[in-house]
Amino acid sequence: MAAPVLSSTPIIFSSWFCPFAQRVLIAANAKKLLPSDPVGRAAARLLTHCVSNEFVTAFIRVLKDQRDTQSVQEAAAARLDDEITWLMSRMSSKGPLALSDRLSLVDCAVAPHLLRLYILRHYADYRYKGPAAVRLRQYCKALKSHPAVAATLVHPEGLDYREELLKVYAHYGVSLVFNHRAPLW
């Protein structure tokens, strides 16, 4: 698979490891990201806001708290479980993706982090323990198979995307031990 393209220019820097750059590329390669009705648009924006403020924060806490006390680690994992359960409960029944069978703004917001849950398993022994595990697996499978998302899951040099991300996050995990204000991305 080729590197993601934005305005006919291949993007080979940062999109493969930076979740926020990945969001932009997914959105750029997708069509019509918001529902046509005003209520649906408002709901999508609210859900996207919650993903950015709550889910992403919980994800980062699990990674950041991996070297903290057992109780702090468990609290971070429980919060992420709650966020994933809440998110999956807000997913549409009309399709495998967040709002329907079409990629939406919500999918662009959450995809980079959900597709990195294996990193939390590797470094923080995190496994989702909530009641929405089946829906989560279906959703992640649908995300990975969408062309706009799949295009961002390619390492620019043809290396193993997942292994290279593990290396990137190992670096940030070490940085967090010494400086709680170290940038995550």
Side-chain angles (χ1 to χ4, degrees):
M1 186 170 286
V5 175
L6 183 61
S7 301
S8 74
T9 303
I11 307 297
I12 58 172
F13 178 73
S14 81
S15 65
W16 69 272
F17 71 86
C18 177
F20 303 104
Q22 190 175 12
R23 285 178 176 181
V24 171
L25 289 169
I26 293 169
N29 289 305
K31 308 265 190 261
K32 193 177 174 200
L33 295 174
L34 289 171
S36 56
D37 68 290
V39 173
R41 284 195 305 273
R45 286 186 179 116
L46 179 61
L47 191 52
T48 301
H49 175 76
C50 291
V51 165
S52 295
N53 288 339
E54 303 300 329
F55 172 79
V56 172
T57 300
F59 179 96
I60 291 169
R61 291 301 310 182
V62 170
L63 183 64
K64 184 178 174 184
D65 292 344
Q66 64 185 311
R67 292 182 180 88
D68 216 321
T69 65
Q70 184 74 20
S71 63
V72 170
Q73 292 173 19
E74 289 171 0
R79 178 164 178 224
L80 184 54
D81 282 351
D82 290 346
E83 293 302 326
I84 292 173
T85 300
W86 181 87
L87 179 63
M88 293 299 110
S89 74
R90 300 308 185 272
M91 296 285 169
S92 172
S93 60
K94 297 177 185 173
L97 296 169
L99 303 179
S100 67
D101 60 342
R102 295 182 59 157
L103 197 72
S104 71
L105 188 64
V106 177
D107 301 308
C108 295
V110 76
H113 295 284
L114 279 182
L115 298 179
R116 285 169 170 76
L117 286 176
Y118 76 94
I119 291 168
L120 298 183
R121 176 178 282 189
H122 183 83
Y123 288 113
D125 197 30
Y126 172 80
R127 287 170 181 77
Y128 173 69
K129 297 176 184 82
V134 171
R135 178 64 171 116
L136 177 62
R137 279 192 300 277
Q138 291 169 341
Y139 182 57
C140 287
K141 183 178 178 183
L143 285 171
K144 288 177 192 176
S145 67
H146 192 283
V149 177
T152 68
L153 301 177
V154 177
H155 188 280
E157 297 170 4
L159 301 174
D160 183 300
Y161 174 82
R162 291 172 57 101
E163 288 300 317
E164 293 303 308
L165 270 179
L166 284 173
K167 291 176 188 175
V168 168
Y169 278 81
H171 168 75
Y172 289 112
V174 169
S175 295
L176 290 170
V177 172
F178 302 107
N179 180 3
H180 284 278
R181 293 189 179 156
L184 285 171
W185 321 117

